[in-house]
Amino acid sequence: METLNAQQSLHLSPQNYLKNALSLLRQEQLQDALQSIDAAVIFSGNSPFYIYQKIRILFNLGALQSCSQLIVSQLEYLYKYGSLYILCRSIDYYQKINACNLEELENLLKNVHVPYCLASIHKELMLQKQKPFLAKARKAMVQDHYPLCIAYSDLYLKLNPVTKDLVYMKAYSYHMLGQLQQALPYYREYLKLNLKDPKAYVELGAILLEMGQVSEALEYFEKASYMDPTNKEYLSYIAECHIASKKYDSAIATYQMIEKYYSTDIQNYFNLSYVYRKINKKHLSKRYLKKVRQQLKTKY
């Protein structure tokens, strides 16, 4: 009854419940202390700070299995809503309890949707004032390490406002990993921030074309081509959309435009030969195949 009355006198303040829990621990009233820290978590609205305090208490009590289970259940929540320090401290407690190696810790973080690079850097982050996540994301992208680029980008965005460069890095990384659905919203967001990047229009168009959304893909390719009218890649994508829509005359017109700018392009000859064959104009198809042979003789 005394404990109940004491609890009722705390006026539902999470800070008072935390102080009471620490006081009860000093008195070795362990069960009451745990009830008090649980109340602090509840009345704080599941504040990451009070969840972390419960992790600390369980660790210091030696209730390692319970502590480990709590950390695993709360890691994603702490990543989304807690400070980076609390997240790193919690990862550190888990690693100490389970003596897991780097690969095991990385797999855990991946499973709970937390940037897995924290497995190797969580200790140093607790001490560093400067967090070089952007530089590390750029380095990972240059090295074609796209999962790591995404992980560092996510950590950067946890601490900083969105930048167009970072959004592009995430879009491109998901694209290179073949995760097209994840890449799409980042490309769209990037193009809202930077309307004058034809390369991004083409990359978004390529994803949409691969997903069978031909008409929308064509819109993005045409926007890119408007900014760079003689770009062979952009025009080729436009022709590909026309072929997918069975608009063969439009495809031919586009390939002929490429021929105007790149009169000796062998691939373009092949493309024209293919389209003419599709519409059963075999004599024109053969004419362009002949040009291919002539170019090959000249080249080799």
Side-chain angles (χ1 to χ4, degrees):
M1 181 63 72
E2 273 185 36
T3 303
L4 180 59
N5 291 333
Q7 297 279 9
Q8 289 173 339
S9 68
L10 296 176
H11 303 296
L12 307 184
S13 164
Q15 184 62 30
N16 288 339
Y17 277 115
L18 173 59
K19 290 178 180 178
N20 188 57
L22 297 176
S23 174
L24 290 167
L25 282 174
R26 287 191 292 270
Q27 299 171 41
E28 298 186 358
Q29 298 181 41
L30 305 184
Q31 194 60 41
D32 290 338
L34 291 174
Q35 289 178 358
S36 190
I37 193 59
D38 282 339
V41 172
I42 292 169
F43 289 113
S44 70
N46 291 318
S47 163
F49 173 78
Y50 291 103
I51 293 172
Y52 170 65
Q53 296 305 319
K54 183 175 180 180
I55 290 170
R56 285 185 60 202
I57 288 173
L58 289 171
F59 184 83
N60 291 330
L61 285 176
L64 301 185
Q65 184 176 356
S66 296
C67 183
S68 179
Q69 291 172 348
L70 178 62
I71 291 170
V72 171
S73 70
Q74 296 299 318
L75 271 178
E76 184 177 6
Y77 183 83
L78 293 177
Y79 167 60
K80 288 182 177 179
Y81 303 110
S83 69
L84 187 61
Y85 177 81
I86 284 177
L87 177 64
C88 289
R89 287 293 298 172
S90 299
I91 293 170
D92 193 46
Y93 279 134
Y94 181 88
Q95 199 278 332
K96 287 176 178 176
I97 293 168
N98 296 281
C100 46
N101 60 36
L102 180 60
E103 183 179 1
E104 291 169 338
L105 194 52
E106 285 181 346
N107 287 336
L108 167 69
L109 296 181
K110 289 176 183 177
N111 289 336
V112 296
H113 311 294
V114 171
Y116 74 93
C117 56
L118 287 173
S120 59
I121 63 171
H122 65 277
K123 291 182 184 294
E124 63 187 77
L125 288 178
M126 291 188 289
L127 304 174
Q128 284 181 346
K129 289 186 178 180
Q130 300 297 324
K131 308 292 191 286
F133 297 138
L134 184 57
K136 288 180 179 291
R138 285 174 174 157
K139 182 179 179 181
M141 185 171 173
V142 169
Q143 295 174 339
D144 297 339
H145 200 328
Y146 300 115
L148 191 60
C149 177
I150 293 168
Y152 279 122
S153 297
D154 286 339
L155 287 174
Y156 178 87
L157 290 171
K158 181 174 174 60
L159 302 177
N160 301 280
V162 172
T163 68
K164 63 182 181 181
D165 291 342
L166 205 73
V167 173
Y168 177 78
M169 284 194 290
K170 288 197 69 175
Y172 186 78
S173 294
Y174 278 123
H175 191 177
M176 292 301 99
L177 291 169
Q179 298 176 25
L180 305 186
Q181 290 288 359
Q182 290 90 329
L184 271 178
Y186 288 106
Y187 274 128
R188 294 187 195 279
E189 184 178 357
Y190 172 72
L191 287 170
K192 288 178 182 177
L193 298 170
N194 185 9
L195 296 171
K196 298 182 179 180
D197 187 345
K199 183 181 176 184
Y201 282 110
V202 167
E203 288 164 349
L204 177 52
I207 290 177
L208 292 166
L209 183 59
E210 188 171 343
M211 295 172 66
Q213 300 177 35
V214 179
S215 59
E216 189 178 1
L218 178 60
E219 290 177 15
Y220 285 106
F221 293 139
E222 287 176 337
K223 286 178 181 177
S225 187
Y226 178 80
M227 288 182 264
D228 189 357
T230 64
N231 188 291
K232 180 172 63 176
E233 180 190 8
Y234 304 168
L235 290 169
S236 295
Y237 270 124
I238 290 171
E240 192 174 340
C241 287
H242 290 317
I243 291 171
S245 302
K246 297 185 179 181
K247 297 178 180 178
Y248 298 118
D249 289 343
S250 297
I252 289 169
T254 306
Y255 284 134
Q256 287 174 337
M257 191 180 299
I258 295 174
E259 186 178 16
K260 177 183 174 182
Y261 299 127
Y262 306 93
S263 58
T264 60
D265 187 85
I266 293 175
Q267 182 60 54
N268 195 55
Y269 290 154
F270 269 120
N271 293 337
L272 277 163
S273 175
Y274 168 78
V275 180
Y276 278 124
R277 190 168 68 251
K278 289 285 288 184
I279 60 175
N280 207 29
K281 292 187 177 182
K282 294 181 180 179
H283 63 292
L284 290 173
S285 178
K286 289 178 181 178
R287 180 188 298 177
Y288 280 101
L289 282 177
K290 184 178 179 181
K291 288 188 176 186
V292 170
R293 287 193 290 269
Q294 289 171 343
Q295 284 296 321
L296 288 173
K297 283 181 182 179
T298 303
K299 200 168 185 178
Y300 301 105

